Amino acid sequence: MLSLRAGRHVVSACKLVNAPLLRCLLHTSKPTSTFAKDLFLGRFNKEKVFPFPDPLNEEQRETLTMLVEPVQKYFEEKVDSAQIDKDAKIPEDVMRGLRDLGLFGLLILKSMGDLVLLNTNYARVY
């Protein structure tokens, strides 16, 4: 085991050697920074993952907003999620409200007038 004094000598010796030569001697690769490696080391580098590419054009974005906002408002104002979890049953008035919002007919065949949303868009609505 190295003593503190010996460790300091090793550190000062390494400062004298340039980094590429030191990597060659230690058989290590050039330092790289990947999102997963940074995450493992406790660093969150959001520039590597954001902005996530937006697959929607303006018309699709407006359609999605028109679908999401009423559903979000309905759940915020009328649905008691904690009570549903406690009872393990969805009340009929909640189901009726979802039906009135048109959520039961959102996924239908393209030939019958489907909105043709992306899977991520359906997930946002539901």
Side-chain angles (χ1 to χ4, degrees):
M1 184 165 150
L2 286 176
S3 69
L4 186 57
R5 177 175 279 161
R8 286 185 184 143
H9 290 298
V10 171
V11 170
S12 42
C14 288
K15 288 180 182 176
L16 298 174
V17 180
N18 65 14
L21 179 60
L22 187 60
R23 277 197 302 273
C24 179
L25 293 172
L26 297 175
H27 303 290
T28 60
S29 61
K30 187 175 181 180
T32 59
S33 178
T34 63
F35 177 74
K37 180 180 178 180
D38 284 347
L39 198 57
F40 181 77
L41 295 173
R43 296 184 299 245
F44 180 70
N45 189 353
K46 66 181 178 182
E47 288 79 28
K48 295 216 182 248
V49 290
F50 295 111
F52 189 77
D54 190 4
L56 304 177
N57 62 32
E58 191 61 36
E59 181 182 341
Q60 292 169 324
R61 195 173 297 110
E62 287 174 13
T63 301
L64 182 61
T65 302
M66 288 183 346
L67 290 170
V68 169
E69 285 179 354
V71 173
Q72 187 174 7
K73 183 178 178 185
Y74 176 75
F75 274 91
E76 288 171 357
E77 295 175 358
K78 310 246 178 173
V79 178
D80 185 2
S81 300
Q83 188 64 41
I84 291 173
D85 287 345
K86 183 179 174 187
D87 297 342
K89 183 178 181 196
I90 301 174
E92 184 56 39
D93 59 324
V94 171
M95 295 299 283
R96 193 175 315 107
L98 296 175
R99 212 174 292 124
D100 293 344
L101 286 170
L103 295 179
F104 291 146
L106 196 57
L107 284 168
I108 57 175
L109 297 174
K110 193 183 301 189
S111 61
M112 300 181 86
D114 183 17
L115 290 172
V116 191
L117 297 174
L118 300 171
N119 288 339
T120 54
N121 300 1
Y122 284 117
R124 279 280 315 274
V125 174
Y126 292 121

